[in-house]
Each structure stands twice: as structure tokens, then as C-alpha cells.
Amino acid sequence: MKKTLLIAAVALLVFPLAACEQKPETVTDQAPDPQAEALAKAPKVVLPPSIKATVTFRCKDNSLAMVDFFSGNMQVNLRGQRDDAPIKLTAEKAGDPFVADGYSLTGTPDAITLAQPGKPSQTCKK
């Protein structure tokens, strides 16, 4: 009798397990991204240009011009003093003058020609 009960108990435990699928279960800690489709269709992100050189120039009228030259030669930032807010000057294509709201700047990190509102155009050197 004990033997029959033992066989019956084993059968009750083994048979339900035999009916289960024997595929391995994959467990991840990431939920599906609800924005995955929208992100796949989004346009590529263009990073801003990096600063190529930061130069302080002494101009002909003895004033200072601090200029940040950016890679790609399409943008510079101009400041009169270190703590001044930068003025962003851009060029339509590399080699064109950098312009914005009455400002015009041409040159390289070695020397520039700068025109500012209310001031004549002047040369500035390192």
C-alpha cells in the first residue's frame, strides 16, 4: 500500500511537469521602448561645432577682441571682455566674412579685421 501511494505521489508530481514546454526562458531588465518607432523615424542629430581656437587680439584702437574660432570655419564668437556675453557671427560658407547685426569679422587665429557698430573697421593682432 505504501508503495502504491509513493508511486501515485511521484506520478502526480512528474506528469504535470512533463506537459510543460521545455524552452529556456529569457529574462531581461528592460521594458520595450514605447518611442522606438518614433525615434527610428527622427532626423539625425547634428552636433554643434567644437572650438578650434580661442584667441585674444589687440586692435588698432588699443581695445581687446576675444574670438572663439569653431571647426568648419562657419562660426565665431566675439567678446570685448572675458565676462561679456558672446556675440555669435556666422558665415554662409567657409571663407566668407563672419557677420551679425552690424558686426563683420574676417581673418584667421593669427590676425583679424573687425568692424563693429559705430566704429570703423580695424585690424587686430595676437
Side-chain angles (χ1 to χ4, degrees):
M1 176 86 162
K2 285 185 180 181
K3 196 173 192 183
T4 308
L5 284 175
L6 185 61
I7 292 174
V10 169
L12 286 174
L13 290 174
V14 173
F15 289 131
L17 292 176
C20 293
E21 288 187 44
Q22 299 298 319
K23 293 182 182 177
E25 181 179 355
T26 303
V27 179
T28 64
D29 62 350
Q30 294 179 343
D33 186 359
Q35 293 182 324
E37 185 177 332
L39 292 173
K41 293 179 183 177
K44 296 287 182 190
V45 175
V46 178
L47 296 174
S50 60
I51 294 177
K52 181 171 61 173
T54 298
V55 183
T56 301
F57 295 97
R58 177 70 66 180
C59 296
K60 191 173 184 178
D61 69 353
N62 208 28
S63 64
L64 292 177
M66 301 179 81
V67 182
D68 297 324
F69 291 88
F70 289 85
S71 61
N73 298 325
M74 301 283 286
Q75 174 184 335
V76 297
N77 282 346
L78 172 67
R79 289 174 279 139
Q81 300 293 324
R82 186 172 305 278
D83 296 330
D84 290 351
I87 300 164
K88 179 180 174 182
L89 290 83
T90 57
E92 288 190 28
K93 63 181 185 213
D96 284 355
F98 302 100
V99 294
D101 298 329
Y103 291 89
S104 176
L105 185 143
T106 58
T108 65
D110 296 321
I112 61 170
T113 302
L114 176 64
Q116 301 177 55
K119 293 185 178 181
S121 179
Q122 59 184 333
T123 57
C124 306
K125 297 181 181 178
K126 286 203 290 188

